[in-house]
Each structure stands twice: as C-alpha cells, then as structure tokens.
Coordinates of all heavy atoms in Angstrom, one line a residue:
G1 N 3.8 -2.1 21.0 CA 4.0 -0.9 20.4 C 2.8 -0.8 19.3 O 2.0 -1.7 19.1
A2 N 2.8 0.3 18.6 CA 1.8 0.6 17.6 C 2.0 -0.3 16.4 O 3.2 -0.7 16.1 CB 1.8 2.1 17.2
A3 N 1.0 -0.7 15.7 CA 1.1 -1.6 14.5 C 1.8 -0.7 13.4 O 1.7 0.5 13.4 CB -0.3 -1.9 14.0
R4 N 2.6 -1.2 12.6 CA 3.3 -0.7 11.6 C 2.7 -1.0 10.2 O 2.4 -2.2 9.9 CB 4.8 -1.0 11.5 CG 5.5 -0.4 12.8 CD 7.0 -0.9 12.9 NE 7.7 -0.6 11.7 CZ 8.4 -1.6 11.0 NH1 8.3 -2.9 11.4 NH2 9.1 -1.3 9.9
V5 N 2.5 -0.1 9.3 CA 1.9 -0.3 8.0 C 2.8 0.0 6.8 O 3.6 1.1 6.9 CB 0.6 0.5 7.9 CG1 0.0 0.4 6.5 CG2 -0.4 0.1 9.0
L6 N 2.9 -0.9 5.8 CA 3.5 -0.6 4.6 C 2.5 -0.5 3.5 O 1.6 -1.3 3.3 CB 4.5 -1.7 4.3 CG 5.5 -1.4 3.0 CD1 6.3 -0.1 3.2 CD2 6.3 -2.6 2.7
I7 N 2.7 0.6 2.6 CA 1.7 0.7 1.5 C 2.6 0.7 0.2 O 3.5 1.4 0.1 CB 0.9 2.0 1.6 CG1 0.1 2.0 2.8 CG2 0.1 2.3 0.4 CD1 -0.7 3.4 3.2
G8 N 2.1 -0.1 -0.7 CA 2.7 -0.2 -2.1 C 1.6 0.1 -3.0 O 0.3 0.1 -2.7
R9 N 2.0 0.1 -4.3 CA 1.0 0.4 -5.5 C 1.4 -0.1 -6.7 O 2.5 -0.5 -7.0 CB 0.8 1.9 -5.5 CG 2.0 2.7 -6.0 CD 1.8 4.1 -6.3 NE 2.9 4.8 -6.9 CZ 3.3 4.7 -8.1 NH1 2.6 4.1 -9.1 NH2 4.5 5.4 -8.4
D10 N 0.5 -0.3 -7.6 CA 0.6 -0.7 -9.0 C 0.9 0.6 -9.8 O 1.1 1.6 -9.3 CB -0.6 -1.5 -9.6 CG -1.7 -0.7 -9.7 OD1 -1.8 0.6 -9.5 OD2 -2.8 -1.3 -9.9
G11 N 1.0 0.5 -11.1 CA 1.2 1.6 -12.0 C 0.1 2.4 -12.5 O 0.3 3.2 -13.5
R12 N -1.0 2.1 -12.1 CA -2.2 2.8 -12.7 C -2.1 4.3 -12.2 O -1.6 4.8 -11.3 CB -3.5 2.2 -12.2 CG -3.8 0.9 -12.8 CD -5.0 0.1 -12.2 NE -5.2 -1.1 -12.9 CZ -4.5 -2.2 -12.7 NH1 -3.6 -2.3 -11.8 NH2 -4.9 -3.4 -13.4
D13 N -2.7 5.1 -13.2 CA -2.7 6.7 -13.0 C -3.1 7.1 -11.6 O -2.5 8.1 -11.2 CB -3.5 7.3 -14.1 CG -2.9 7.1 -15.5 OD1 -1.7 6.8 -15.7 OD2 -3.6 7.3 -16.5
T14 N -4.1 6.6 -11.1 CA -4.7 7.1 -9.8 C -4.0 6.4 -8.6 O -4.2 6.9 -7.5 CB -6.2 6.8 -9.7 OG1 -6.4 5.5 -9.9 CG2 -6.9 7.7 -10.8
S15 N -3.2 5.4 -8.8 CA -2.5 4.8 -7.7 C -1.6 5.6 -6.7 O -1.6 5.5 -5.5 CB -1.9 3.5 -8.1 OG -2.8 2.6 -8.5
P16 N -0.8 6.5 -7.3 CA 0.1 7.2 -6.6 C -0.7 8.2 -5.6 O -0.4 8.2 -4.3 CB 0.9 8.1 -7.5 CG 1.0 7.3 -8.8 CD -0.5 6.7 -8.8
A17 N -1.7 8.9 -6.1 CA -2.5 9.7 -5.2 C -3.3 9.0 -4.2 O -3.4 9.4 -3.0 CB -3.5 10.6 -6.0
F18 N -3.8 7.8 -4.6 CA -4.6 7.1 -3.6 C -3.8 6.5 -2.5 O -4.2 6.6 -1.3 CB -5.4 6.0 -4.3 CG -6.4 5.2 -3.4 CD1 -7.7 5.7 -3.3 CD2 -6.1 4.0 -2.8 CE1 -8.6 5.1 -2.4 CE2 -6.9 3.5 -1.9 CZ -8.3 3.9 -1.7
S19 N -2.5 6.1 -2.8 CA -1.7 5.5 -1.9 C -1.2 6.5 -0.8 O -1.1 6.3 0.3 CB -0.5 4.8 -2.5 OG 0.2 5.6 -3.3
R20 N -0.9 7.7 -1.4 CA -0.4 8.8 -0.5 C -1.6 9.2 0.5 O -1.3 9.4 1.7 CB 0.0 10.0 -1.3 CG 1.4 9.9 -1.9 CD 1.9 11.1 -2.5 NE 1.1 11.6 -3.6 CZ 1.2 11.4 -4.9 NH1 2.1 10.5 -5.2 NH2 0.4 11.9 -5.8
Q21 N -2.8 9.2 0.0 CA -4.1 9.6 0.8 C -4.1 8.5 1.9 O -4.5 8.8 3.0 CB -5.2 9.8 0.0 CG -6.5 10.2 0.8 CD -6.2 11.6 1.5 OE1 -5.7 12.5 0.9 NE2 -6.8 11.6 2.7
L22 N -4.0 7.3 1.5 CA -4.2 6.2 2.5 C -3.1 6.3 3.6 O -3.5 6.1 4.8 CB -4.0 4.9 1.7 CG -4.2 3.6 2.6 CD1 -5.6 3.5 3.2 CD2 -4.0 2.3 1.6
C23 N -1.9 6.7 3.2 CA -0.9 6.8 4.2 C -1.2 8.0 5.2 O -1.0 8.0 6.4 CB 0.5 7.0 3.6 SG 1.9 6.7 4.6
R24 N -1.8 9.1 4.6 CA -2.1 10.3 5.4 C -3.1 9.8 6.4 O -3.2 10.3 7.6 CB -2.6 11.4 4.5 CG -1.3 12.2 3.9 CD -1.8 13.5 3.3 NE -2.7 13.2 2.1 CZ -2.2 13.3 0.8 NH1 -1.0 13.2 0.6 NH2 -3.1 13.0 -0.1
A25 N -4.0 9.1 5.9 CA -5.2 8.5 6.9 C -4.7 7.8 8.0 O -5.0 8.0 9.2 CB -6.2 7.8 6.0
F26 N -3.8 6.9 7.8 CA -3.1 6.2 8.8 C -2.4 7.0 9.8 O -2.4 7.1 11.0 CB -2.2 5.1 8.4 CG -2.8 3.8 7.8 CD1 -2.8 3.4 6.6 CD2 -3.5 3.0 8.8 CE1 -3.4 2.4 6.1 CE2 -4.1 1.9 8.5 CZ -4.1 1.6 7.0
A27 N -1.6 8.1 9.3 CA -0.8 9.0 10.0 C -1.7 9.8 10.9 O -1.4 10.1 12.0 CB 0.1 9.9 9.1
A28 N -3.0 10.2 10.5 CA -3.9 11.0 11.2 C -4.4 10.3 12.4 O -4.8 10.8 13.4 CB -5.0 11.4 10.2
E29 N -4.4 8.9 12.3 CA -4.7 8.0 13.4 C -3.6 7.7 14.2 O -3.7 6.8 15.1 CB -5.5 6.8 12.9 CG -6.8 7.3 12.2 CD -7.8 7.9 13.1 OE1 -7.9 7.6 14.3 OE2 -8.5 8.8 12.7
K30 N -2.4 8.2 14.0 CA -1.2 8.0 14.7 C -0.6 6.5 14.6 O -0.1 6.0 15.4 CB -1.3 8.3 16.3 CG -1.8 9.7 16.6 CD -0.9 10.7 16.3 CE -1.3 12.0 16.9 NZ -1.7 13.1 15.9
I31 N -0.9 6.0 13.4 CA -0.5 4.7 13.0 C 0.8 4.9 12.1 O 0.6 5.4 11.0 CB -1.5 3.9 12.3 CG1 -2.7 3.6 13.3 CG2 -0.9 2.5 11.8 CD1 -3.9 3.1 12.6
P32 N 2.0 4.4 12.5 CA 3.2 4.6 11.7 C 2.9 4.0 10.2 O 2.5 2.8 10.2 CB 4.2 3.8 12.4 CG 3.8 3.8 13.9 CD 2.2 3.7 13.8
C33 N 3.2 4.7 9.3 CA 2.9 4.2 7.9 C 4.2 4.5 7.0 O 4.7 5.7 7.0 CB 1.7 5.0 7.3 SG 1.4 4.5 5.7
A34 N 4.6 3.6 6.3 CA 5.8 3.7 5.4 C 5.1 3.6 4.0 O 4.3 2.8 3.7 CB 6.9 2.8 5.5
L35 N 5.5 4.4 3.0 CA 5.0 4.4 1.7 C 6.0 4.1 0.6 O 7.1 4.8 0.6 CB 4.3 5.8 1.3 CG 3.8 6.0 0.0 CD1 2.6 5.0 -0.4 CD2 3.3 7.3 -0.3
I36 N 5.9 3.0 -0.2 CA 6.9 2.9 -1.3 C 6.3 3.8 -2.5 O 5.3 3.5 -3.0 CB 6.8 1.4 -1.8 CG1 7.3 0.5 -0.6 CG2 7.8 1.2 -2.8 CD1 7.2 -0.9 -0.8
E37 N 7.1 4.8 -2.8 CA 6.7 5.8 -3.7 C 6.6 5.2 -5.2 O 5.8 5.6 -6.0 CB 7.7 7.0 -3.7 CG 7.6 7.8 -2.5 CD 6.3 8.7 -2.4 OE1 5.7 8.8 -3.3 OE2 6.1 9.2 -1.3
E38 N 7.5 4.4 -5.6 CA 7.4 3.9 -6.9 C 6.5 2.7 -7.1 O 6.2 2.0 -6.1 CB 8.9 3.6 -7.5 CG 9.6 2.5 -6.7 CD 10.3 3.0 -5.4 OE1 10.4 4.1 -5.1 OE2 10.8 2.1 -4.8
E39 N 6.1 2.3 -8.3 CA 5.5 1.2 -8.6 C 6.2 -0.1 -8.2 O 7.5 -0.1 -8.3 CB 5.2 1.2 -10.1 CG 4.5 0.0 -10.7 CD 4.4 0.0 -12.2 OE1 4.5 1.1 -12.8 OE2 4.1 -1.0 -12.7
I40 N 5.6 -1.0 -7.7 CA 6.1 -2.2 -7.2 C 5.2 -3.5 -7.6 O 4.0 -3.3 -7.5 CB 6.5 -2.2 -5.7 CG1 7.2 -3.4 -5.3 CG2 5.2 -2.1 -4.9 CD1 7.8 -3.3 -3.8
A41 N 5.8 -4.5 -8.0 CA 5.0 -5.7 -8.3 C 4.4 -6.3 -7.0 O 5.1 -6.3 -6.0 CB 5.8 -6.8 -9.1
A42 N 3.2 -6.8 -7.1 CA 2.5 -7.4 -5.9 C 3.4 -8.4 -5.2 O 3.4 -8.4 -3.9 CB 1.2 -8.0 -6.2
P43 N 4.0 -9.4 -5.8 CA 4.7 -10.4 -5.1 C 6.0 -9.7 -4.4 O 6.4 -10.1 -3.3 CB 5.2 -11.4 -6.1 CG 4.3 -11.2 -7.3 CD 3.8 -9.7 -7.3
V44 N 6.6 -8.8 -5.0 CA 7.8 -8.1 -4.3 C 7.3 -7.3 -3.1 O 8.0 -7.2 -2.1 CB 8.5 -7.2 -5.4 CG1 9.5 -6.4 -4.7 CG2 9.0 -8.0 -6.6
F45 N 6.1 -6.7 -3.3 CA 5.5 -5.9 -2.1 C 5.3 -6.9 -1.0 O 5.6 -6.6 0.2 CB 4.3 -5.2 -2.5 CG 3.6 -4.6 -1.4 CD1 4.0 -3.4 -0.8 CD2 2.4 -5.1 -0.8 CE1 3.5 -2.9 0.3 CE2 1.8 -4.5 0.3 CZ 2.3 -3.4 0.8
S46 N 4.7 -8.1 -1.2 CA 4.4 -9.0 -0.2 C 5.7 -9.4 0.5 O 5.7 -9.5 1.7 CB 3.7 -10.2 -0.8 OG 3.5 -11.2 0.2
F47 N 6.8 -9.6 -0.3 CA 8.1 -9.9 0.4 C 8.6 -8.7 1.2 O 9.1 -9.0 2.3 CB 9.0 -10.2 -0.8 CG 10.4 -10.5 -0.3 CD1 10.8 -11.8 0.2 CD2 11.4 -9.5 -0.3 CE1 12.1 -12.0 0.7 CE2 12.8 -9.7 0.1 CZ 13.0 -11.0 0.6
A48 N 8.4 -7.5 0.8 CA 8.9 -6.4 1.5 C 8.1 -6.2 2.8 O 8.7 -5.9 3.8 CB 8.6 -5.0 0.7
V49 N 6.8 -6.6 2.8 CA 6.1 -6.5 4.1 C 6.6 -7.5 5.1 O 6.9 -7.2 6.3 CB 4.6 -6.9 3.9 CG1 3.8 -7.0 5.2 CG2 3.9 -5.7 3.0
R50 N 6.9 -8.7 4.6 CA 7.5 -9.7 5.5 C 8.9 -9.4 6.0 O 9.3 -9.5 7.2 CB 7.4 -11.2 5.0 CG 6.0 -11.7 4.8 CD 5.8 -13.0 4.3 NE 6.6 -14.1 5.0 CZ 6.1 -14.6 6.1 NH1 4.8 -14.3 6.5 NH2 6.8 -15.6 6.7
Q51 N 9.7 -8.9 5.0 CA 11.1 -8.7 5.3 C 11.2 -7.6 6.2 O 12.1 -7.5 7.0 CB 11.9 -8.4 4.0 CG 13.3 -8.4 4.0 CD 13.9 -9.8 4.2 OE1 13.2 -10.8 4.1 NE2 15.2 -9.9 4.6
G52 N 10.4 -6.6 6.1 CA 10.4 -5.4 6.9 C 9.7 -5.6 8.2 O 9.7 -4.6 9.0
R53 N 9.1 -6.6 8.5 CA 8.4 -7.1 9.7 C 7.4 -6.1 10.0 O 7.2 -5.6 11.1 CB 9.4 -7.1 10.9 CG 10.3 -8.3 10.6 CD 11.3 -8.5 11.7 NE 12.3 -9.5 11.3 CZ 12.6 -10.5 12.1 NH1 12.2 -10.6 13.3 NH2 13.5 -11.4 11.7
Y54 N 6.6 -5.7 9.0 CA 5.4 -4.8 9.0 C 4.3 -5.6 9.7 O 4.2 -6.8 9.3 CB 5.1 -4.1 7.7 CG 6.0 -3.0 7.5 CD1 7.1 -3.3 6.6 CD2 5.8 -1.8 7.9 CE1 8.1 -2.3 6.3 CE2 6.8 -0.8 7.5 CZ 7.8 -1.1 6.8 OH 8.8 -0.1 6.5
D55 N 3.4 -5.0 10.3 CA 2.2 -5.7 10.8 C 1.2 -5.9 9.8 O 0.4 -6.8 9.7 CB 1.6 -5.0 12.1 CG 2.6 -4.9 13.2 OD1 3.0 -5.9 13.7 OD2 3.0 -3.8 13.5
F56 N 1.1 -4.8 8.8 CA 0.1 -4.9 7.8 C 0.6 -4.3 6.5 O 1.5 -3.4 6.6 CB -1.2 -4.1 8.2 CG -1.9 -4.5 9.4 CD1 -1.6 -3.9 10.6 CD2 -2.8 -5.5 9.4 CE1 -2.3 -4.3 11.8 CE2 -3.4 -5.9 10.5 CZ -3.2 -5.4 11.8
G57 N 0.2 -4.9 5.4 CA 0.6 -4.3 4.1 C -0.7 -4.0 3.3 O -1.6 -4.9 3.2
F58 N -0.7 -2.9 2.7 CA -1.9 -2.5 1.8 C -1.4 -2.3 0.4 O -0.5 -1.3 0.2 CB -2.6 -1.3 2.4 CG -3.4 -1.6 3.6 CD1 -2.8 -1.4 4.8 CD2 -4.7 -1.9 3.6 CE1 -3.4 -1.7 6.0 CE2 -5.4 -2.2 4.6 CZ -4.9 -2.1 6.0
Y59 N -1.8 -2.9 -0.6 CA -1.3 -2.8 -1.9 C -2.5 -2.1 -2.7 O -3.6 -2.6 -2.9 CB -1.0 -4.2 -2.5 CG -0.4 -4.1 -3.8 CD1 1.0 -3.6 -4.0 CD2 -1.1 -4.4 -5.0 CE1 1.5 -3.6 -5.2 CE2 -0.5 -4.3 -6.1 CZ 0.9 -3.9 -6.3 OH 1.4 -3.9 -7.6
V60 N -2.2 -0.9 -3.2 CA -3.3 -0.1 -4.0 C -3.2 -0.7 -5.5 O -2.1 -0.5 -6.1 CB -3.0 1.3 -3.9 CG1 -4.0 2.0 -4.7 CG2 -3.1 1.8 -2.4
S61 N -4.4 -1.2 -5.9 CA -4.5 -1.7 -7.2 C -5.9 -1.5 -7.6 O -6.7 -1.1 -7.0 CB -4.1 -3.2 -7.3 OG -4.0 -3.7 -8.6
A62 N -6.2 -2.0 -8.9 CA -7.5 -1.8 -9.4 C -8.1 -3.2 -9.8 O -7.3 -4.1 -10.0 CB -7.4 -0.9 -10.6
T63 N -9.3 -3.3 -9.8 CA -10.0 -4.5 -10.2 C -9.8 -4.7 -11.8 O -9.7 -3.7 -12.5 CB -11.4 -4.7 -9.9 OG1 -11.9 -5.9 -10.2 CG2 -12.2 -3.5 -10.5
H64 N -9.8 -5.9 -12.2 CA -9.9 -6.1 -13.6 C -11.3 -6.4 -14.2 O -11.5 -6.6 -15.3 CB -9.0 -7.4 -14.0 CG -7.6 -7.1 -13.6 ND1 -6.6 -6.3 -14.4 CD2 -6.8 -7.4 -12.6 CE1 -5.6 -6.3 -13.9 NE2 -5.6 -6.9 -12.8
H65 N -12.2 -6.2 -13.3 CA -13.6 -6.4 -13.7 C -14.2 -4.9 -14.2 O -13.7 -3.9 -13.9 CB -14.5 -6.7 -12.5 CG -14.1 -8.1 -12.0 ND1 -14.2 -9.2 -12.7 CD2 -13.5 -8.4 -10.7 CE1 -13.8 -10.2 -12.0 NE2 -13.3 -9.7 -10.8
G66 N -15.2 -5.0 -15.0 CA -15.8 -3.8 -15.5 C -16.6 -3.0 -14.5 O -16.7 -3.5 -13.3
S67 N -17.0 -1.8 -14.9 CA -17.6 -1.0 -13.8 C -19.0 -1.5 -13.4 O -19.6 -1.1 -12.4 CB -17.9 0.4 -14.5 OG -18.7 0.2 -15.6
A68 N -19.6 -2.6 -14.1 CA -20.9 -3.2 -13.6 C -20.6 -4.0 -12.4 O -21.6 -4.3 -11.7 CB -21.4 -4.1 -14.8
Y69 N -19.3 -4.3 -12.1 CA -19.1 -5.0 -10.8 C -18.7 -4.2 -9.7 O -18.3 -4.4 -8.7 CB -18.0 -6.1 -11.1 CG -18.3 -7.1 -12.1 CD1 -18.0 -6.9 -13.5 CD2 -19.0 -8.3 -11.8 CE1 -18.4 -7.8 -14.4 CE2 -19.4 -9.1 -12.7 CZ -19.0 -8.9 -14.0 OH -19.4 -9.8 -15.0

C-alpha cells in the first residue's frame, strides 16, 4: 500500500501554517497524511509515529541558529 505520513509541529508562530501546507503537498501526491493540529513535544511525536505505525514522520520546527546559518 501507499506510505503513510504523520506530521507534527512545535509551538512557533509559523509552524501551524507550514505543517498544514506540508500535509496538503503530500495529499496532492496521493500520499495519505495525518496532521496533529496541536503543538506536540518532539519525543512524544516520535512515539506517535511508531505507535501509529506510520512509515514517515515529519516534525515542523525551527533551527536555534541565527539567520547567518
């Protein structure tokens, strides 16, 4: 069957919109995508990917490096 994707996000202001857009991109390619709407901690997201037996998990977050990087 088709690969299943789970998308989670941190609490940054732009993360909700970016994670929804990412899910729409997968859906446009006919890839089943589930989106966790609320903020979720990265370790909990990792657990959810494994527990839900998803093939891939994408966690939307930001770097802690400055814009020079």
Side-chain angles (χ1 to χ4, degrees):
R4 294 173 54 237
V5 176
L6 181 64
I7 297 175
R9 65 173 183 85
D10 65 11
R12 290 173 175 80
D13 290 342
T14 57
S15 294
F18 189 86
S19 59
R20 285 190 297 271
Q21 183 61 37
L22 183 59
C23 198
R24 282 193 292 271
F26 280 114
E29 296 298 323
K30 309 289 191 252
I31 298 171
C33 178
L35 176 63
I36 299 174
E37 291 286 346
E38 64 274 357
E39 176 182 342
I40 186 170
V44 177
F45 175 73
S46 180
F47 178 79
V49 172
R50 291 181 59 82
Q51 193 71 13
R53 298 181 187 226
Y54 288 90
D55 299 295
F56 299 97
F58 290 87
Y59 187 75
V60 177
S61 185
T63 181
H64 297 282
H65 299 292
S67 60
Y69 297 94

